[in-house]
Amino acid sequence: MLFKTQSRSLLLRKTITLPHLPHSIRRGYPAAGNPHREPFEHVAGKVPPSTRATVRFHAGTTDNEPATIDFTPGRQHATNIRPNEEYIVNVTDIRDYDPPTTLAVEGCEWVHSPTALTEADLLENDREKVNLTVEGAYFQECAKLVQQRTNATRALAYNWRHRRLEKDLVPGGTVGLSGKPLATFHMDNDEETARMNLRRNLGDAEAERWLKKRWGIINVWRPIGDTVLQWPLGLLDSRDIKADQNTAPIFTRNNYKSHFSALKYSPGFKYYYVNQLTTDEALLFVDYDSAKSSQLSGLAHGAFQDHSTSDNAPLRRSIEVRVLVLWGDEA
């Protein structure tokens, strides 16, 4: 099953609520440093390091019809999507960025956040045990982390993916898509699919209450098993994306949502990543933000081929958890 979920009553019991907070910090992400600086602005004269990389983008369809992927086991090869376009670019390392990137300004930040979760926990033959481990303690852990980093008054982890790169499975293509690094730069949610996730996990009545306030989705992404060297996760500056020019919907069948958005290449794109992210660290980024005035509707992301990585480096393994967040709610 591609998407695991618990009953609505159990999910609601696992929603984390902050105690009463001063009004000044209940309006959104906490300010860090100078909140008025431009996204990805760094100290003058201190150029952050970068790496050469191959990135991949959506190249259209074979029949000029809307792009479609069938997630039904045995049917994932049945797609009309053309092979990705590949480009060689520079990807900037934000590990020692000065000032550090934040969820409030850039829509992404990395944190030191050790976890008790191991890859052995995810490889158990008993899938029910795996789901209980992830959707229990680890979901709570991610919700607490997001709550702390966003000042959200409510946080609810609801969806996860364990991604492994096997020797005989290349990141490109649609076969095994949900279980391997996704090399096409993409955005997980738009307003339609974000609202679908909200209603599916909260029910219509609670979702309507959230929709009257500011809410969003945060992705908690971390290596599992080894430090990520092969196919690290890259992020794009969201200001460079023009929805009417640079995105294309990818419609899905037998999946937990109707579609996601693949990106079309633009020479103006700027790329970022965290070099050698460890299992004691996590990368948080905005998946969706309901604030109409916010540029952070979601950060495009995708795995990229780092030219500085040895072919003998450990194969990429990671886990990602998506967390619904609500701000300004005292209930």
Side-chain angles (χ1 to χ4, degrees):
M1 185 175 182
L2 293 172
F3 177 69
K4 304 286 186 182
T5 185
Q6 297 169 323
S7 68
R8 188 174 70 187
S9 60
L10 181 55
L11 281 169
L12 290 175
R13 286 200 300 272
K14 287 196 171 185
T15 300
I16 292 180
T17 305
L18 279 173
H20 180 78
L21 296 172
H23 182 74
S24 61
I25 67 171
R26 290 207 311 271
R27 294 180 177 176
Y29 308 97
N34 176 13
H36 303 295
R37 63 180 171 81
E38 288 296 310
F40 296 105
E41 179 182 354
H42 58 77
V43 172
K46 189 175 181 180
V47 180
S50 63
T51 189
R52 293 292 279 174
T54 299
V55 294
R56 290 163 171 78
F57 287 90
H58 182 63
T61 59
T62 57
D63 54 7
N64 294 320
E65 295 294 326
T68 303
I69 299 175
D70 192 339
F71 279 77
T72 305
R75 292 281 300 165
Q76 291 177 353
H77 64 283
T79 180
N80 62 345
I81 299 176
R82 293 181 182 276
N84 288 327
E85 294 177 346
E86 299 183 357
Y87 299 89
I88 296 178
V89 302
N90 289 325
V91 185
T92 300
D93 181 11
I94 61 172
R95 173 173 287 282
D96 297 316
Y97 221 74
D98 186 10
T101 62
T102 66
L103 287 168
V105 179
E106 288 82 10
C108 62
E109 60 184 62
W110 70 271
V111 296
H112 181 72
S113 179
T115 180
L117 186 72
T118 68
E119 192 173 39
D121 295 328
L122 304 179
L123 296 178
E124 284 271 359
N125 291 327
D126 186 341
R127 300 313 298 170
E128 182 176 354
K129 183 178 179 181
V130 173
N131 291 330
L132 288 173
T133 298
V134 175
E135 296 171 12
Y138 190 62
F139 268 22
Q140 287 282 80
E141 180 183 316
C142 290
K144 182 178 180 181
L145 174 62
V146 168
Q147 175 196 44
Q148 292 171 341
R149 303 305 302 181
T150 63
N151 277 336
T153 49
R154 293 178 183 267
L156 171 66
Y158 71 94
N159 170 261
W160 65 281
R161 287 280 191 270
H162 175 209
R163 299 190 186 274
R164 288 173 56 89
L165 180 60
E166 306 293 350
K167 289 183 178 180
D168 59 346
L169 191 64
V170 296
T174 58
V175 176
L177 188 66
S178 61
K180 66 180 181 181
L182 183 51
T184 307
F185 271 79
H186 64 283
M187 301 176 75
D188 291 330
N189 285 291
D190 56 19
E191 184 174 10
E192 179 184 348
T193 59
R195 288 185 174 219
M196 287 170 57
N197 285 321
L198 191 70
R199 293 185 185 281
R200 180 184 294 111
N201 289 283
L202 298 182
D204 288 338
E206 181 67 4
E208 284 300 321
R209 200 173 71 81
W210 280 47
L211 289 169
K212 296 175 183 177
K213 302 176 182 291
R214 184 180 180 185
W215 63 281
I217 302 171
I218 304 295
N219 193 315
V220 180
W221 190 96
R222 73 159 68 240
I224 193 81
D226 281 297
T227 295
V228 166
L229 299 175
Q230 287 193 4
W231 295 94
L233 188 71
L235 303 170
L236 282 180
D237 187 338
S238 61
R239 295 172 300 167
D240 297 331
I241 300 171
K242 297 178 175 60
D244 58 339
Q245 299 177 26
N246 303 132
T247 65
I250 309 296
F251 296 98
T252 63
R253 300 189 182 109
N254 193 32
N255 191 26
Y256 75 97
K257 60 184 177 183
S258 60
H259 65 277
F260 62 95
S261 297
L263 257 66
K264 302 175 184 178
Y265 175 76
S266 170
F269 285 160
K270 294 182 285 292
Y271 308 84
Y272 301 89
Y273 82 121
V274 181
N275 185 34
Q276 297 187 16
L277 202 69
T278 74
T279 57
D280 284 339
E281 299 170 333
L283 176 62
L284 280 62
F285 61 92
V286 176
D287 198 85
Y288 175 77
D289 188 331
S290 70
K292 300 301 182 184
S293 61
S294 175
Q295 294 177 325
L296 305 177
S297 58
L299 262 67
H301 53 283
F304 68 89
Q305 196 168 2
D306 187 347
H307 294 184
S308 68
T309 301
S310 167
D311 291 338
N312 297 322
L315 295 174
R316 148 81 184 275
R317 288 113 72 200
S318 61
I319 183 171
E320 61 205 58
V321 171
R322 295 175 181 89
V323 181
L324 290 163
V325 292
L326 174 67
W327 289 281
D329 182 47
E330 300 177 6

